[in-house]
Amino acid sequence: MERTSSSLHTDKIGAEQQMKLFPATRYMGSKSKLLQYIWDASSKYKFDSVIDLFSGSGVVSYMYKTHGKAVISNDYMAMGGVITKALVENDSTILPVEEAKELIKDNIDTDEFVYKTFKGIYYNDEDNHFIDVLRAHIALMDDEYKKAIAMQALIRTCVKKRPRGIFTYVGDRYNDGRKDLQKSFEDHFLEAVALINNAVFSNGRHCESYNVDSMNLNKKADLVYIDPPYYTPKSDNEYVRRYHFVEGLARDWKGVEIQEHTKTKKFKSYPTPFSTKDGAENAFDTIFKQYSDSILVVSYSSNSLPNMEDMINLLKKYKNNVEVIPVDYKYSFGTRNTVKRNNVQEYIFIGA
Ligand SMILES: C[S@@+](CC[C@H](N)C(=O)[O-])C[C@H]1O[C@@H](n2cnc3c(N)ncnc32)[C@H](O)[C@@H]1O
């Protein structure tokens, strides 16, 4: 049943139940399966406020919110800012289904941007037009939280309608016939709105959502959760390359230049220090220094650089007590038919 109001307080249903309402996605590097470990590691310490510096899918921010913390979420991807605006900062606004239905009405002039730019690339003409209609309606919305819910629902729809949920290839080659791919854009969108509405809640605390480079977020909190892209020399950790289409939606392709020669019509990845070993090491050092007064909780994996020893040494520069919690974790890749599993250890480092 759809809720009409969302002044829900976590006390009423408990953190665990509230967490189940988070609309999960398959975002690269999402910690949705590690939440309990992150919470167990954090909750040994007394803290009231949290910065989630690389919030990605928003699932960790939401987890801390369910535990009654004042959460500041940040990611340099605009799409990261959309989800945390809708479900972390927002504590009471929903987008009523009747209003959502108005957004899909084909009664507005569109700029045909998606229809023309991405013709024959990810979706058919009809679906591309649907996206443009939604974009045009969303652009006219005044309420920032309703707008974020609508945009998040559109992003979720596009990801669900895309085999593997990514935009690194063109055409339909990974279509394994799953239900999500058969369902219409309209059904996906309205379902997504209902799901997001249902996840809106207040924990009685002031929470904030930001969309800046990690080095430029000048905020303070008792605990800082640090989960940047994992650097390995072999694998690709570029978020923009994977998600450029939905990231483009989130920022309406403002301030980026589509690389017209590419088949995928992607735009350049944003610069981040986490694309080289030295860059990552220096960035960790800078972040640890900047937040040296806070409890530091870092997620990183065993096949990434800096390695475990280096990370411990970096943390020890600023923190007296450094602890590592190894978690055996299996990453899976591919479509339903070709699932490969890769055994790595996921580390949670804590500096206090
Ligand atoms: C491993 S993911 C975070 C996953 C997140 N904890 C979750 O559970 O969904 C890393 C995130 O860092 C973001 N990112 C990369 N470089 C950044 C930078 N310089 N500043 C802020 N965010 C950055 C990426 O957009 C990506 O969402």
Side-chain angles (χ1 to χ4, degrees):
M1 207 179 66
E2 203 213 343
R3 285 208 330 269
T4 47
S5 134
S6 59
S7 52
L8 193 64
H9 194 284
T10 28
D11 289 351
K12 291 191 187 141
I13 67 166
E16 206 176 316
Q17 288 305 105
Q18 184 65 52
M19 197 63 230
K20 288 188 184 144
L21 299 180
F22 184 81
T25 51
R26 300 195 309 162
Y27 191 71
M28 171 163 73
S30 157
K31 297 299 173 293
S32 58
K33 298 211 170 73
L34 297 176
L35 295 176
Q36 193 59 48
Y37 296 97
I38 297 167
W39 175 246
D40 289 347
S42 311
S43 61
K44 289 191 222 160
Y45 299 90
K46 210 172 151 303
F47 66 104
D48 200 41
S49 53
V50 186
I51 292 174
D52 182 5
L53 201 52
F54 303 86
S55 58
S57 70
V59 74
V60 177
S61 287
Y62 193 85
M63 179 276 283
Y64 281 122
K65 186 178 173 185
T66 68
H67 287 287
K69 307 300 175 189
V71 182
I72 297 174
S73 306
N74 177 63
D75 198 284
Y76 81 163
M77 299 272 281
M79 62 187 284
V82 171
I83 178 85
T84 54
K85 183 65 96 179
L87 289 179
V88 179
E89 184 176 300
N90 173 24
D91 59 9
S92 58
T93 303
I94 60 162
L95 175 62
V97 167
E98 287 318 309
E99 282 181 43
K101 283 186 177 158
E102 292 298 313
L103 300 177
I104 55 181
K105 281 195 181 150
D106 193 355
N107 58 1
I108 190 165
D109 281 340
T110 79
D111 60 4
E112 297 190 319
F113 179 79
V114 169
Y115 182 86
K116 285 186 178 153
T117 313
F118 297 98
K119 195 174 179 60
I121 297 188
Y122 302 119
Y123 310 108
N124 64 31
D125 284 355
E126 195 187 329
D127 292 342
N128 282 340
H129 177 65
F130 178 90
I131 295 170
D132 282 332
V133 167
L134 262 170
R135 288 177 49 245
H137 280 295
I138 291 173
L140 299 178
M141 294 173 83
D142 296 325
D143 185 298
E144 59 175 331
Y145 297 123
K146 286 184 179 177
K147 199 170 185 165
I149 294 172
M151 181 50 75
Q152 181 57 29
L154 173 57
I155 289 173
R156 187 177 173 83
T157 299
C158 292
V159 168
K160 290 259 172 201
K161 281 288 279 184
R162 181 82 192 131
R164 301 178 67 196
I166 54 175
F167 301 86
T168 51
Y169 67 96
V170 302
D172 224 12
R173 87 179 104 127
Y174 295 107
N175 189 339
D176 59 359
R178 74 176 67 195
K179 249 204 201 142
D180 271 342
L181 301 174
Q182 290 161 16
K183 199 186 289 178
S184 71
F185 257 73
E186 185 173 324
D187 287 350
H188 266 298
F189 178 74
L190 294 175
E191 270 176 34
V193 169
L195 264 178
I196 299 164
N197 280 343
N198 208 32
V200 173
F201 76 107
S202 161
N203 68 356
R205 309 301 307 275
H206 177 74
C207 297
E208 294 170 17
S209 155
Y210 291 92
N211 170 215
V212 297
D213 189 281
S214 57
M215 301 299 171
N216 300 332
L217 181 83
N218 290 315
K219 297 280 163 187
K220 285 201 179 308
D222 303 335
L223 184 145
V224 181
Y225 176 66
I226 301 157
D227 183 22
Y230 295 176
Y231 171 73
T232 70
K234 283 189 198 131
S235 69
D236 146 53
N237 68 359
E238 277 188 22
Y239 283 82
V240 174
R241 196 175 82 81
R242 256 170 202 242
Y243 299 114
H244 65 92
F245 181 78
V246 275
E247 173 66 3
L249 284 174
R251 59 185 299 153
D252 206 17
W253 285 272
K254 299 256 159 53
V256 294
E257 208 176 303
I258 290 183
Q259 298 169 313
E260 290 299 339
H261 62 281
T262 61
K263 277 194 196 149
T264 55
K265 300 276 191 256
K266 62 179 177 170
F267 46 86
K268 251 211 207 135
S269 288
Y270 312 145
T272 181
F274 296 95
S275 52
T276 63
K277 176 182 181 284
D278 287 350
E281 208 162 305
N282 288 334
F284 275 119
D285 191 46
T286 308
I287 291 169
F288 295 165
K289 188 175 181 185
Q290 183 179 350
Y291 295 103
S292 58
D293 291 340
S294 308
I295 302 156
L296 302 173
V297 178
V298 184
S299 280
Y300 220 53
S301 91
S302 60
N303 60 359
S304 306
L305 297 171
N307 64 21
M308 183 178 76
E309 261 177 34
D310 291 341
M311 190 72 92
I312 291 173
N313 287 333
L314 274 173
L315 276 165
K316 279 192 172 159
K317 279 173 76 176
Y318 306 101
K319 290 292 182 187
N320 294 331
N321 299 313
V322 175
E323 196 191 337
V324 190
I325 300 167
V327 183
D328 273 320
Y329 190 67
K330 287 186 176 64
Y331 281 103
S332 60
F333 303 94
T335 60
R336 259 193 321 180
N337 301 333
T338 55
V339 173
K340 285 185 226 148
R341 291 197 190 283
N342 187 3
N343 258 320
V344 292
Q345 255 183 351
E346 191 69 36
Y347 295 130
I348 301 172
F349 297 89
I350 307 163

